[in-house]
Amino acid sequence: MATNYTQAFNAGEISRKMDGRDDLEVYKTGCRDLDNFIVLPQGGVERRAGTEFVQFAGTDGTNPARMIEFDFSSDIRFVIELGTSYARVHYEDATGTNFSVDVIGTVPAYTTTELRQVQFNRKYDTLILTCPTKETQVLKRTTITPTFSIEPISYIYPPLQEVNITSTTIDPSLPSPNIYSGTTTLTSSSAIFEKGHEGSFWAIDHIRAADKKEIADTRTATGENAASEPLDVSFSNWSFETNGNWEASVVIQRRIAGEVADGGTGWLDYVVIGDTRGGVQRNFKYASTFAETGNTELRVKWILQTSTQDFQFSIEADNIYHKGLVTISSVVGAGVVINSAVLVSNVITIDTATAHGLSTGDYVLISGLSFTPTANPNIEAQITVIDADTFTYALTAADQTFTTSASSVIEITSRATATVVSMIQGGNFDDPSNPTVPQDPDPTLFWAEAAFSAYRGFCPASEFFENRLWLAGSKDQPADIFASAINDNFNFLAGELSTDAIKRTVDSPEEPKWLESKRYLFLGTSGTAISIRSADRDSLITKNNITTLVENAYGSAALQAEVANDVIVYVQRDGLKVRELVYSQGEDTFVGNDL
């Protein structure tokens, strides 16, 4: 007698490995194929809702595009159509009418492969778009109308690699047209600049001279109305203190980028310290609660009472470094093709296809030449320039015999031009005989390369968590994660305060694939899933209150994870399984259950 075992469809589609297992209950609650249906909790099914044609993607539907949700709230929703070199926003108004608006700005030229790799996360009107091979973008709703714009992240202070620990120095020239903006030439003591560094941020720091870390004075004149010398406090906290017996009005003034404001000197009142004129004499202490932005100078302004005074004051920058910041605009010589190379008496003359732009004493790293006994070595050499298209350098003892000239290029050089983001000397190197004229900075060991660039790779994933923007590491620095300052999403300036930005190296060298948060923040890599949380679970994450734990050994594919009900769902590395992160109390870890 035939028996109908199909009692419900709660089990969904059943694997063929279940064939013949009619003794199992799951066999009675599933089926072979269930296309275009939704399983109901009661066991039945209903047809999947239909779709509506809105318009073609791109111009005629042949353009590759991603549809990205941009839900500002439960009743204000947009869909981003992200294509190759364009972006468009679709939405429906209160009457049910469909509208489309083009996004203003330059959209990266994503390839079809890169479009699949784009990940996104939103906070209010801001959508962050990340791709491991393209610069991170910020897409914003700029008006309620609505209108949208897209641009690369404009960092207040960018994510950086660790400060240089080698003997390599960088020697910047005096910026032109002034110390606050313009261009500078960076010359390093070895070849470190590669073509892919163009557009990336670098920190160029110098240890402050004593008189540039603190300005102190004692004023005794009566009725004096004056101000101190300026103190650069770019990217630094600062403190102020008074001593002595005096009656005066005291104010801290600020000037940014040397700009002249309101037809005056550019100095504007910033912090009112106090006014004891005609009152009780007293002293004051003040400390800033956050680091200033770039190109910021402070000075003390006072008006003394008309009597004998003993006004003592000091204003001090907390950071011992003068923190300069530049963006690399071009790398001189990098990528230039070599036409030929001639060896004479252990000296090679290089003939380049185009003008190399290098100077005598520059270092280059050349690839594609052949020597004996070393085949196709990468050689770093200090050059002597003959003319615009040729230069020479001497071979080392290890490469005595030059045999062929293959297709070769200048890979890396020691010279680059850069745009000044924040002062790289700030008067720290004034000529004592003419202190108003800034001088060229000295070479410095204290520099840091950008964390993200075309050379190192870009951030593959981001997430907003605990009022910080978190960024995953690049292909060259996969174990690094970055968190912005609290409530300052594009400021990655690290410091000692609990609100300062965080840089953390996790216990996994695997390439990051996604970031997703629930109660904790989770990082998916090609080899594992990592939880990022505070060590004291009753407090927010800070530099000194953070722990990163490897939770399981199920690697992830380069697909964005999603929060589904109470769990985080992600795709396994091979792309064949979907897993959920669920806390296992018995093992005190997050397991990756197979869905």
Side-chain angles (χ1 to χ4, degrees), residues 24 31 89 193 242 258 263 341 347 350 411 433 460 463 481 495 510 516 523 568:
L24 300 178
C31 60
V89 179
F193 299 118
T242 67
V347 173
I350 300 293
E411 283 195 359
S433 64
E463 177 72 341
I481 53 173
E510 306 287 352
E516 189 59 77
L523 170 67
I568 291 177

mmCIF file of all heavy atoms in Angstrom, residues 24 31 89 193 242 258 263 341 347 350 411 433 460 463 481 495 510 516 523 568:
data_model
loop_
_atom_site.group_PDB
_atom_site.id
_atom_site.type_symbol
_atom_site.label_atom_id
_atom_site.label_comp_id
_atom_site.label_asym_id
_atom_site.label_seq_id
_atom_site.Cartn_x
_atom_site.Cartn_y
_atom_site.Cartn_z
ATOM 1 N N LEU A 24 13.650 8.585 8.200
ATOM 2 C CA LEU A 24 13.944 9.817 8.927
ATOM 3 C C LEU A 24 12.789 10.801 8.817
ATOM 4 O O LEU A 24 12.155 10.920 7.778
ATOM 5 C CB LEU A 24 15.226 10.468 8.378
ATOM 6 C CG LEU A 24 16.508 9.624 8.467
ATOM 7 C CD1 LEU A 24 17.679 10.366 7.839
ATOM 8 C CD2 LEU A 24 16.811 9.281 9.916
ATOM 9 N N CYS A 31 11.504 18.352 0.111
ATOM 10 C CA CYS A 31 11.274 17.952 -1.267
ATOM 11 C C CYS A 31 12.569 18.124 -2.056
ATOM 12 O O CYS A 31 13.561 18.670 -1.555
ATOM 13 C CB CYS A 31 10.139 18.777 -1.891
ATOM 14 S SG CYS A 31 10.468 20.539 -1.917
ATOM 15 N N VAL A 89 20.887 56.420 -8.118
ATOM 16 C CA VAL A 89 20.050 56.107 -6.961
ATOM 17 C C VAL A 89 18.597 56.020 -7.401
ATOM 18 O O VAL A 89 18.084 56.923 -8.079
ATOM 19 C CB VAL A 89 20.205 57.174 -5.856
ATOM 20 C CG1 VAL A 89 19.310 56.837 -4.671
ATOM 21 C CG2 VAL A 89 21.654 57.272 -5.415
ATOM 22 N N PHE A 193 59.959 54.585 -2.773
ATOM 23 C CA PHE A 193 58.744 55.099 -3.412
ATOM 24 C C PHE A 193 58.450 54.320 -4.685
ATOM 25 O O PHE A 193 59.294 54.243 -5.577
ATOM 26 C CB PHE A 193 58.893 56.586 -3.733
ATOM 27 C CG PHE A 193 59.120 57.443 -2.526
ATOM 28 C CD1 PHE A 193 60.288 58.181 -2.393
ATOM 29 C CD2 PHE A 193 58.172 57.511 -1.520
ATOM 30 C CE1 PHE A 193 60.506 58.973 -1.281
ATOM 31 C CE2 PHE A 193 58.381 58.298 -0.398
ATOM 32 C CZ PHE A 193 59.553 59.036 -0.276
ATOM 33 N N THR A 242 49.406 79.029 34.363
ATOM 34 C CA THR A 242 49.929 80.329 34.778
ATOM 35 C C THR A 242 50.481 80.238 36.199
ATOM 36 O O THR A 242 50.111 79.347 36.975
ATOM 37 C CB THR A 242 48.856 81.418 34.741
ATOM 38 O OG1 THR A 242 47.873 81.149 35.749
ATOM 39 C CG2 THR A 242 48.199 81.505 33.376
ATOM 40 N N GLY A 258 47.405 79.455 8.734
ATOM 41 C CA GLY A 258 47.889 80.803 8.531
ATOM 42 C C GLY A 258 46.914 81.729 7.864
ATOM 43 O O GLY A 258 47.292 82.813 7.406
ATOM 44 N N GLY A 263 39.548 89.982 7.680
ATOM 45 C CA GLY A 263 40.391 91.125 7.394
ATOM 46 C C GLY A 263 41.437 91.390 8.459
ATOM 47 O O GLY A 263 42.115 92.425 8.441
ATOM 48 N N ALA A 341 70.926 48.836 -21.814
ATOM 49 C CA ALA A 341 71.919 48.993 -20.762
ATOM 50 C C ALA A 341 73.261 48.529 -21.294
ATOM 51 O O ALA A 341 73.361 47.481 -21.940
ATOM 52 C CB ALA A 341 71.517 48.193 -19.532
ATOM 53 N N VAL A 347 80.636 49.469 -14.776
ATOM 54 C CA VAL A 347 79.672 50.561 -14.644
ATOM 55 C C VAL A 347 78.622 50.408 -15.730
ATOM 56 O O VAL A 347 78.945 50.231 -16.905
ATOM 57 C CB VAL A 347 80.348 51.940 -14.762
ATOM 58 C CG1 VAL A 347 79.302 53.042 -14.789
ATOM 59 C CG2 VAL A 347 81.297 52.157 -13.587
ATOM 60 N N ILE A 350 72.411 53.279 -18.212
ATOM 61 C CA ILE A 350 71.010 52.969 -18.493
ATOM 62 C C ILE A 350 70.439 54.035 -19.417
ATOM 63 O O ILE A 350 70.570 55.234 -19.149
ATOM 64 C CB ILE A 350 70.186 52.910 -17.194
ATOM 65 C CG1 ILE A 350 70.729 51.834 -16.244
ATOM 66 C CG2 ILE A 350 68.711 52.665 -17.503
ATOM 67 C CD1 ILE A 350 70.557 50.429 -16.727
ATOM 68 N N GLU A 411 61.659 50.173 -10.993
ATOM 69 C CA GLU A 411 60.522 49.810 -10.141
ATOM 70 C C GLU A 411 60.274 50.832 -9.040
ATOM 71 O O GLU A 411 59.164 51.310 -8.849
ATOM 72 C CB GLU A 411 60.746 48.436 -9.514
ATOM 73 C CG GLU A 411 60.511 47.281 -10.466
ATOM 74 C CD GLU A 411 60.386 45.967 -9.725
ATOM 75 O OE1 GLU A 411 60.505 45.958 -8.489
ATOM 76 O OE2 GLU A 411 60.170 44.950 -10.385
ATOM 77 N N SER A 433 69.140 83.592 12.760
ATOM 78 C CA SER A 433 69.426 84.956 12.350
ATOM 79 C C SER A 433 68.247 85.609 11.631
ATOM 80 O O SER A 433 68.215 86.825 11.463
ATOM 81 C CB SER A 433 70.658 84.979 11.430
ATOM 82 O OG SER A 433 70.378 84.256 10.228
ATOM 83 N N PRO A 460 39.380 46.103 2.276
ATOM 84 C CA PRO A 460 38.346 45.286 1.647
ATOM 85 C C PRO A 460 36.991 45.347 2.339
ATOM 86 O O PRO A 460 35.987 44.943 1.761
ATOM 87 C CB PRO A 460 38.922 43.874 1.744
ATOM 88 C CG PRO A 460 39.741 43.905 2.999
ATOM 89 C CD PRO A 460 40.304 45.301 3.107
ATOM 90 N N GLU A 463 33.066 48.760 8.826
ATOM 91 C CA GLU A 463 31.869 48.618 9.658
ATOM 92 C C GLU A 463 31.827 49.765 10.662
ATOM 93 O O GLU A 463 32.867 50.188 11.196
ATOM 94 C CB GLU A 463 31.868 47.279 10.399
ATOM 95 C CG GLU A 463 30.693 47.069 11.343
ATOM 96 C CD GLU A 463 29.372 46.817 10.626
ATOM 97 O OE1 GLU A 463 29.258 47.140 9.425
ATOM 98 O OE2 GLU A 463 28.432 46.314 11.260
ATOM 99 N N ILE A 481 43.870 45.956 11.878
ATOM 100 C CA ILE A 481 42.541 46.559 11.842
ATOM 101 C C ILE A 481 42.662 47.970 12.416
ATOM 102 O O ILE A 481 43.495 48.229 13.292
ATOM 103 C CB ILE A 481 41.482 45.752 12.623
ATOM 104 C CG1 ILE A 481 41.950 45.485 14.061
ATOM 105 C CG2 ILE A 481 41.148 44.465 11.916
ATOM 106 C CD1 ILE A 481 40.884 44.843 14.924
ATOM 107 N N GLY A 495 46.353 57.756 19.917
ATOM 108 C CA GLY A 495 46.792 58.502 21.092
ATOM 109 C C GLY A 495 46.563 57.690 22.342
ATOM 110 O O GLY A 495 46.305 56.484 22.280
ATOM 111 N N GLU A 510 45.786 35.774 7.962
ATOM 112 C CA GLU A 510 44.938 35.526 6.801
ATOM 113 C C GLU A 510 44.338 36.832 6.270
ATOM 114 O O GLU A 510 44.080 37.770 7.014
ATOM 115 C CB GLU A 510 43.809 34.559 7.175
ATOM 116 C CG GLU A 510 44.268 33.255 7.812
ATOM 117 C CD GLU A 510 44.917 32.314 6.830
ATOM 118 O OE1 GLU A 510 44.879 32.608 5.632
ATOM 119 O OE2 GLU A 510 45.451 31.281 7.258
ATOM 120 N N GLU A 516 31.510 42.516 10.277
ATOM 121 C CA GLU A 516 30.083 42.592 10.603
ATOM 122 C C GLU A 516 29.948 42.654 12.121
ATOM 123 O O GLU A 516 30.744 42.051 12.857
ATOM 124 C CB GLU A 516 29.339 41.382 10.046
ATOM 125 C CG GLU A 516 27.823 41.469 10.154
ATOM 126 C CD GLU A 516 27.251 42.666 9.430
ATOM 127 O OE1 GLU A 516 27.153 42.634 8.191
ATOM 128 O OE2 GLU A 516 26.915 43.651 10.133
ATOM 129 N N LEU A 523 35.408 39.805 12.450
ATOM 130 C CA LEU A 523 36.226 39.910 11.246
ATOM 131 C C LEU A 523 36.322 38.530 10.618
ATOM 132 O O LEU A 523 36.799 37.584 11.255
ATOM 133 C CB LEU A 523 37.624 40.427 11.590
ATOM 134 C CG LEU A 523 38.682 40.369 10.489
ATOM 135 C CD1 LEU A 523 38.336 41.336 9.361
ATOM 136 C CD2 LEU A 523 40.071 40.683 11.049
ATOM 137 N N ILE A 568 24.982 36.053 12.733
ATOM 138 C CA ILE A 568 25.706 36.549 11.565
ATOM 139 C C ILE A 568 25.903 35.381 10.610
ATOM 140 O O ILE A 568 26.394 34.318 11.002
ATOM 141 C CB ILE A 568 27.057 37.157 11.974
ATOM 142 C CG1 ILE A 568 26.829 38.459 12.747
ATOM 143 C CG2 ILE A 568 27.924 37.434 10.741
ATOM 144 C CD1 ILE A 568 28.096 39.097 13.269
#
